[in-house]
Amino acid sequence: MGFSQSLGGSMGNALIGLAAAVVGVTGTLVASVLSQRLLGRVQTEQFQRQQQLADTQWRREQEVAELNRRRDSYMQVNASFRRYRTHLVNFLWTVHKGAVTPDARELVEEARSDHHSVFAEAQLIASAAVLVELDEMTAALSEVYRRIMCLEEGNPDPDGSFDGIRADFARLWDRWERMRGVMRTDIALEAVTGRQAGIGPRPFAPLPAGAPHTPQAA
């Protein structure tokens, strides 16, 4: 009897020990699986955050690059306008003095070609407001060019005398100042929008100031 009880007790202890071992092993396996899943989730979340940061940085760089391209394009537009206007003024005086030469005409045509090229490129990236100004300025310059050439060919417009065309240049100057103001506003708005979105573009140099603000006689 005592032996049986002793044997039963030993078997019970053994079963308990086995059960505890099984539970321990199972717990270890479950903990390992849970740890792997948790680690995988953490790694996934970290990757997603890194990807979001990378995407955000890429968008910022693209927006800054676009703003820089637009600013540079506007500066080229202003430089091209001043150059074309200067050559038109000089050619008008040459016509007035009756001293037109092939070289003088070639200078005007080169400035005109450069103007068309620069303005056409700017039209691809300009804002809607600036695009309106570019189109109006192009039309105004083309009209002044036409009037000068008609005068040079001896077939001027009714109001296309030398003095009449000189007045056109004062109006061109006023129109350029308005266009330049719209460009400045466009760049400023884009820069402010970028800062609000967390974009940090490099400081922008002002657009070329050009000649004095008061229109000068041609």
Side-chain angles (χ1 to χ4, degrees), residues 81-161:
F81 164 78
R82 292 196 306 275
R83 183 165 53 252
Y84 187 27
R85 179 185 180 277
T86 297
H87 284 295
L88 283 175
V89 169
N90 292 340
F91 190 75
L92 176 62
W93 276 100
T94 301
V95 171
H96 181 60
K97 292 183 294 185
V100 175
T101 64
D103 289 342
R105 181 180 289 274
E106 184 178 358
L107 287 175
V108 172
E109 295 302 329
E110 288 178 353
R112 181 168 179 257
S113 177
D114 175 71
H115 154 261
H116 286 323
S117 177
V118 171
F119 272 52
E121 182 177 350
Q123 287 171 336
L124 297 177
I125 62 176
S127 66
V130 173
L131 183 60
V132 171
E133 298 295 327
L134 288 173
D135 290 342
E136 291 182 355
M137 177 60 76
T138 298
L141 284 167
S142 296
E143 177 62 12
V144 172
Y145 170 85
R146 183 194 67 79
R147 284 162 60 80
I148 294 175
M149 293 305 165
C150 286
L151 178 63
E152 192 268 332
E153 293 168 0
N155 185 31
D157 293 348
D159 62 343
S161 66

Side-chain angles (χ1 to χ4, degrees), residues 60-73:
R60 289 176 179 175
E61 291 174 353
Q62 293 301 307
E63 290 172 352
V64 169
E66 174 63 24
L67 187 56
N68 288 338
R69 284 193 296 270
R70 187 179 298 181
R71 180 207 58 187
D72 293 342
S73 178

Side-chain angles (χ1 to χ4, degrees), residues 127-208:
S127 66
V130 173
L131 183 60
V132 171
E133 298 295 327
L134 288 173
D135 290 342
E136 291 182 355
M137 177 60 76
T138 298
L141 284 167
S142 296
E143 177 62 12
V144 172
Y145 170 85
R146 183 194 67 79
R147 284 162 60 80
I148 294 175
M149 293 305 165
C150 286
L151 178 63
E152 192 268 332
E153 293 168 0
N155 185 31
D157 293 348
D159 62 343
S161 66
F162 171 73
D163 289 331
I165 297 176
R166 285 182 67 193
D168 291 344
F169 285 98
R171 289 188 288 271
L172 277 178
W173 194 272
D174 291 338
R175 184 182 294 277
W176 172 64
E177 285 193 324
R178 185 174 68 247
M179 181 183 72
R180 189 176 61 170
V182 175
M183 288 178 174
R184 288 181 182 276
T185 299
D186 180 47
I187 292 297
L189 288 176
E190 288 293 327
V192 169
T193 301
R195 286 196 295 269
Q196 290 175 344
I199 301 171
R202 59 188 173 91
F204 293 103
L207 292 173

